[in-house]
Amino acid sequence: MSGFLSQFGEALPFFAQGVVITLELTILGAALSVVISFIFGLMALSQSVGVRFVSRVFVEFFRGTSLLVQMFWLFFALPLAGIQLVPVATGVIALGLNYGAYGSEVVRGGINAIPRAQWEATIALNMGRVQRMRRVILPQAVVGMIPPFGNWLIQLLKGTALVSLIGLADLTFETQAFRDATGNTVVAFTGALIIYFILAQIFAVLMSLLERRSKASIGQPMERRALGGLGWRLGGSEAA
Amino acid sequence: MVTEPTTNGNTTGKGQSAPDKMVRFDKVVKRFGDLVVLRELDFEVAPAEHVTLIGPSGSGKTTILRLLMTLEKINDGYIWVDGEPLWHMDQGGKLVPANEKYLRRMRPKMGMVFQQFNLFPNMKVLRNVTEAPIYSLGMSKDEAVQRGREILELVGLSDKVDSYPSQLSGGQQQRVAIARALAMNPKILLLDEVTSALDPELVAEVLNVLRDIAHTTEITILCVTHEMQFAKDISHRVMMFDHGQIVEYGPPEKIFSDPEHDRTKSFLRAVLEAR
Amino acid sequence: MIWDWNFALNEALPQMLGAFLKVTLLATILGSVVAMVLGLILALLRRSRIQLISRPTGWFIEFVRSTPLLVQLLFLFLVLPRVGITLPAFTIGIIGLGVHYATYTSEVYRAGIDGVPKGQWEAATALSLPPRRKWQDVILPQAIRNVLPALGNYVISMFKETPYLLAITVLDMVAIAKNIGSLNFKYLETFTIAGLIFLAASYPAAVLMRKLEIRLGH
């Protein structure tokens, strides 16, 4: 055990370097995917058939073609068409487009979940479309979007591991580098899994804090529930 | 003083406004799919008149309010509000279907209170009341807040301005909804079964507020309710609906104590027994 | 135009389709079988009244769900031989996919079991059915029927993640696309074809699941 710990200590500099890149990709990828989610999610609710169609095609395309293929396409094929992206941009764009496609369904579902009566009240008060969306519908809808977005954030964090396959020095890449340098396979990959797990738990706790805050901001008290940690996404963690 | 209309039918020619009326339905048709909810309905409501619509569910009462609030689209006929067509606009002397811009100009004439309150859960009480005056009527924030506080005092909720709707009882929420509608300063107040979703002990506080408003303001009221005593207290006229048409109408004393039609009699008996 | 139709249709497509059928599709099918069976076992263990069983099962599920499939595959591929277990890369890939997705399907099963109306449990008890019959004849058939679309959606997700196996030397369709694309810089053709094949298979499947969802009344 002490052997494991001292070897883990040796691996730490590798892990630390990798975690920085992994976090960078997670945060930038999540930011881009949220923007894309809202653009295409709102387009899916447009009155125009054409706009809805464009949104549908985008969503189905990026959900249906596999993240790894998208990443390889951007990394290997796009330069042949004359467009060369820096590797980090390739990773962020692929993550953003792929998870943005899933996220746009979250946005669409969140808005659709707002009762018809709320829309009617905005008509009765003579609100315009922008005002209705911005001041009444979205503030309520966003609260419902946070838990599913939280799940997608964890998926995105896991998805960042793929960038190691296009040469970006993330946690997975550095793990392999450490293994190659020391031959210490067990420590390298056990350590990496534990670090990914901890990162996922941190994101889960942050999202549950965000959910609590956003519920409070619209006057909904949060039902008492253990914050974050094990079982956060599994619903009630006690066996029935 | 309120003028009793002599008939419920066409006192004015088809497709013409009635300047002295606040609301005029002219051969209004509303269908949901194959179901005809309103068939060539005619009636008028005078300014400051309070009209209660009664009748079995599905008779079209609520649809009338929803057409006036532009929550449902009209299929045929005309609705006139305050001397102007609601669902049509004048284009070179011809009435054409209204666009959204025209509807937005007409809507502030009406205010509606819903059965389920429909307050905005993401806004505190005061903001529920000031939101639309500020962003829909373009009122200054200070003015809207001052007016909002006044109206909330009128409905007895001065101490709740900083609460969220979820922290209020049903009766309090409905009083906020009344204040929210009044803050838009509408000429017509539409009340759609405003006590039906309330626990029995909370009904009185809401009705008392509405009685006050009915007796102290010049507002025109169209009310759908099953509270017959309340209808008696505030209405100048009661209209009995069945199958999208008016069965009979008259002053509440007459309709409630001496109705002419069997349909009205059996309906009133059923309502009284249910209580 | 840099797109080479002759290469795309006559060289890339046949080779890639071959790998698609022999590796990608086969891995999806076998991985799904593992995920379906193991997921049900995990779901039942998680419901166990014995906390010594239900708790660690919950931890295991949460841990596997929170960590990247790619790293899990590398872990299995590189660590198993060191503890004396030597398996072909493809088999390790099936295990990796199956275990990873079992942690998802276990939650689906759990939701399905929780969704069986209380009256059904009570009726089974009232008829004093033995536990095995209760589960096998009453609870599970209803639970699984209701969650079929959710299970199907995870099969589609797994299908799109089978290319991760290329990291452990399995020559799946995407690995082939990468290899033949590198020969003369024809990545545009190979990866475009790869994407379209994924789309052509997963889109109809997703539509089918949505239809099934509607039919089951979700």
Side-chain angles (χ1 to χ4, degrees):
Chain A
M1 195 64 204
S2 69
F4 181 90
L5 280 183
S6 75
Q7 283 165 350
F8 189 81
E10 271 174 54
L12 264 182
F14 287 87
F15 288 147
Q17 272 188 316
V19 164
V20 172
I21 303 292
T22 293
L23 284 177
E24 188 182 319
L25 281 158
T26 306
I27 291 163
L28 292 176
L32 179 61
S33 81
V34 166
V35 172
I36 289 173
S37 299
F38 273 90
I39 292 174
F40 287 93
L42 290 171
M43 281 171 69
L45 297 163
S46 163
Q47 290 176 338
S48 148
V49 181
V51 173
R52 287 206 305 271
F53 181 75
V54 170
S55 164
R56 198 75 241 151
V57 169
F58 170 86
V59 170
E60 296 299 350
F61 184 83
F62 281 98
R63 287 202 311 187
T65 49
S66 179
L67 175 59
L68 184 60
V69 175
Q70 289 156 19
M71 210 175 268
F72 276 2
W73 198 93
L74 288 176
F75 185 77
F76 292 108
L78 200 59
L80 300 177
I83 302 168
Q84 184 88 47
L85 299 168
V86 293
V88 175
T90 306
V92 169
I93 291 171
L95 291 166
L97 288 172
N98 190 267
Y99 291 100
Y102 288 100
S104 71
E105 296 286 275
V106 172
V107 171
R108 189 169 71 112
I111 291 173
N112 276 337
I114 301 303
R116 215 178 112 82
Q118 287 289 313
W119 297 80
E120 293 190 344
T122 64
I123 297 174
L125 292 168
N126 201 31
M127 292 186 179
R129 286 163 56 112
V130 176
Q131 184 195 1
R132 168 185 313 162
M133 202 40 111
R134 219 189 90 196
R135 311 198 69 95
V136 177
I137 304 299
L138 275 183
Q140 297 181 55
V142 164
V143 178
M145 295 175 198
I146 290 174
F149 267 135
N151 284 340
W152 284 117
L153 179 62
I154 307 294
Q155 297 294 330
L156 190 148
L157 166 69
K158 287 157 55 181
T160 59
L162 294 189
V163 300
S164 64
L165 299 174
I166 58 169
L168 272 168
D170 77 326
L171 179 54
T172 305
F173 187 95
E174 291 290 347
T175 301
Q176 284 169 292
F178 170 75
R179 173 187 175 263
D180 292 345
T182 64
N184 208 329
T185 313
V186 178
V187 170
F189 284 96
T190 312
L193 286 172
I194 290 171
I195 292 172
Y196 274 113
F197 178 73
I198 291 169
L199 292 179
Q201 295 305 313
I202 291 172
F203 280 119
V205 170
L206 289 178
M207 288 306 282
S208 102
L209 283 174
L210 189 63
E211 186 192 3
R212 176 178 285 209
R213 260 197 61 174
S214 75
K215 274 193 171 169
S217 81
I218 68 159
Q220 278 180 29
M222 176 127 166
E223 60 273 27
R224 281 216 153 274
R225 170 164 80 172
L227 245 195
L230 271 173
W232 180 74
R233 274 163 298 130
L234 302 181
S237 59
E238 304 306 314
Chain B
M1 190 49 221
V2 172
T3 48
E4 269 317 315
T6 46
T7 75
N8 67 325
N10 270 350
T11 50
T12 320
K14 185 170 165 61
Q16 287 172 22
S17 80
D20 55 333
K21 301 296 179 199
M22 185 53 79
V23 175
R24 187 162 110 78
F25 272 51
D26 180 2
K27 300 254 179 296
V28 171
V29 176
K30 177 62 191 174
R31 287 181 295 264
F32 291 107
D34 290 337
L35 181 73
V36 182
V37 183
L38 301 179
R39 46 187 88 220
E40 305 213 336
L41 180 67
D42 295 327
F43 72 87
E44 294 172 343
V45 179
E49 192 184 6
H50 305 155
V51 177
T52 297
L53 317 180
I54 62 169
S57 58
S59 61
K61 307 160 299 193
T62 290
T63 305
I64 291 169
L65 302 192
R66 291 173 62 83
L67 278 170
L68 276 166
M69 196 62 259
T70 72
L71 299 175
E72 306 285 356
K73 283 202 170 80
I74 196 168
N75 291 121
D76 205 358
Y78 299 92
I79 296 174
W80 302 83
V81 171
D82 198 16
E84 292 182 276
L86 174 63
W87 280 103
H88 301 80
M89 51 190 190
D90 199 316
Q91 216 169 60
K94 271 176 71 177
L95 289 182
V96 298
N99 58 22
E100 177 64 19
K101 196 178 158 205
Y102 181 83
L103 288 177
R104 285 204 69 191
R105 189 172 73 73
M106 292 297 288
R107 272 187 206 124
K109 294 177 191 289
M110 275 79 63
M112 186 160 183
V113 183
F114 298 88
Q115 185 177 350
Q116 299 287 350
F117 332 137
N118 299 3
L119 292 179
F120 301 133
N122 55 317
M123 302 178 191
K124 290 181 177 174
V125 164
L126 185 61
R127 235 190 96 196
N128 257 286
V129 177
T130 58
E131 175 75 11
I134 295 172
Y135 294 101
S136 166
L137 298 181
M139 202 181 277
S140 80
K141 209 181 157 205
D142 290 345
E143 194 190 346
V145 167
Q146 199 202 329
R147 260 183 58 86
R149 286 182 185 279
E150 281 167 22
I151 295 171
L152 283 168
E153 192 175 342
L154 189 78
V155 299
L157 290 172
S158 301
D159 54 331
K160 299 291 182 191
V161 287
D162 282 328
S163 303
Y164 280 105
S166 57
Q167 296 163 330
L168 303 183
S169 73
Q172 290 170 329
Q173 290 191 49
Q174 192 59 298
R175 284 187 278 150
V176 175
I178 293 166
R180 184 175 73 170
L182 290 178
M184 294 289 279
N185 213 2
K187 296 190 168 181
I188 306 167
L189 187 59
L190 306 169
L191 305 176
D192 184 12
E193 305 205 25
V194 294
T195 56
S196 303
L198 295 177
D199 291 334
E201 73 271 20
L202 301 176
V203 169
E205 60 184 77
V206 171
L207 294 184
N208 288 338
V209 163
L210 289 172
R211 256 187 216 105
D212 268 5
I213 292 161
H215 292 145
T216 58
T217 66
E218 288 287 288
I219 203 164
T220 308
I221 297 179
L222 268 79
C223 171
V224 172
T225 185
H226 292 116
E227 297 285 338
M228 294 305 161
Q229 185 55 47
F230 172 70
K232 229 179 244 179
D233 291 351
I234 67 145
S235 328
H236 302 113
R237 186 157 51 121
V238 174
M239 294 201 289
M240 168 74 194
F241 278 83
D242 199 17
H243 294 104
Q245 286 182 318
I246 298 170
V247 177
E248 68 175 303
Y249 68 96
E253 310 81 50
K254 170 87 172 76
I255 297 289
F256 289 137
S257 52
D258 184 21
E260 285 181 8
H261 280 260
D262 291 344
R263 205 58 206 90
T264 316
K265 283 177 197 162
S266 62
F267 171 73
L268 288 173
R269 209 177 305 126
V271 170
L272 288 175
E273 268 168 24
R275 294 183 59 83
Chain C
M1 190 61 199
I2 45 171
W3 181 275
D4 183 344
W5 278 109
N6 182 41
F7 167 78
L9 293 180
N10 297 327
E11 283 184 58
L13 189 60
Q15 289 189 59
M16 286 170 61
L17 271 180
F20 176 76
L21 295 173
K22 272 185 281 184
V23 182
T24 304
L25 221 46
L26 188 64
T28 308
I29 292 166
L30 296 176
S32 298
V33 171
V34 175
M36 297 298 153
V37 175
L38 183 61
L40 185 57
I41 295 170
L42 286 176
L44 294 175
L45 289 179
R46 187 120 199 294
R47 291 184 64 88
S48 165
R49 272 192 219 98
I50 305 161
Q51 291 217 340
L52 221 58
I53 295 173
S54 64
R55 282 286 172 87
T57 309
W59 296 335
F60 175 77
I61 292 172
E62 178 69 12
F63 187 83
V64 173
R65 276 164 62 109
S66 305
T67 48
L69 172 61
L70 181 65
V71 183
Q72 291 163 7
L73 289 169
L74 291 167
F75 177 90
L76 291 174
F77 183 67
L78 298 168
V79 173
L80 283 185
R82 319 240 341 196
V83 293
I85 304 172
T86 339
L87 293 168
F90 184 75
T91 309
I92 290 176
I94 301 299
I95 295 170
L97 285 169
V99 171
H100 190 81
Y101 275 90
T103 61
Y104 286 94
T105 57
S106 74
E107 290 303 309
V108 172
Y109 286 121
R110 197 167 81 114
I113 292 166
D114 289 346
V116 174
K118 209 170 153 233
Q120 293 293 311
W121 297 84
E122 289 174 352
T125 309
L127 294 168
S128 44
L129 288 180
R132 195 190 140 86
R133 286 288 135 204
K134 178 170 85 179
W135 281 98
Q136 194 178 313
D137 299 348
V138 181
I139 304 301
L140 285 182
Q142 300 184 57
I144 292 173
R145 182 177 177 276
N146 282 330
V147 297
L148 275 179
L151 292 175
N153 284 329
Y154 278 126
V155 171
I156 298 171
S157 295
M158 181 195 290
F159 167 64
K160 287 180 286 189
E161 295 197 344
T162 50
Y164 296 11
L165 299 198
L166 65 82
I168 56 169
T169 72
V170 174
L171 286 175
D172 83 314
M173 176 178 69
V174 178
I176 299 287
K178 194 164 171 249
N179 289 350
I180 58 180
S182 70
L183 292 179
N184 33 17
F185 285 96
K186 299 245 185 249
Y187 288 123
L188 195 59
E189 288 85 346
T190 60
F191 284 130
T192 305
I193 291 170
L196 291 178
I197 290 175
F198 270 106
L199 188 62
S202 71
Y203 178 65
V207 171
L208 196 73
M209 287 307 134
R210 256 171 263 163
K211 287 218 169 112
L212 189 61
E213 251 170 64
I214 292 164
R215 257 193 61 181
L216 290 172
H218 287 274

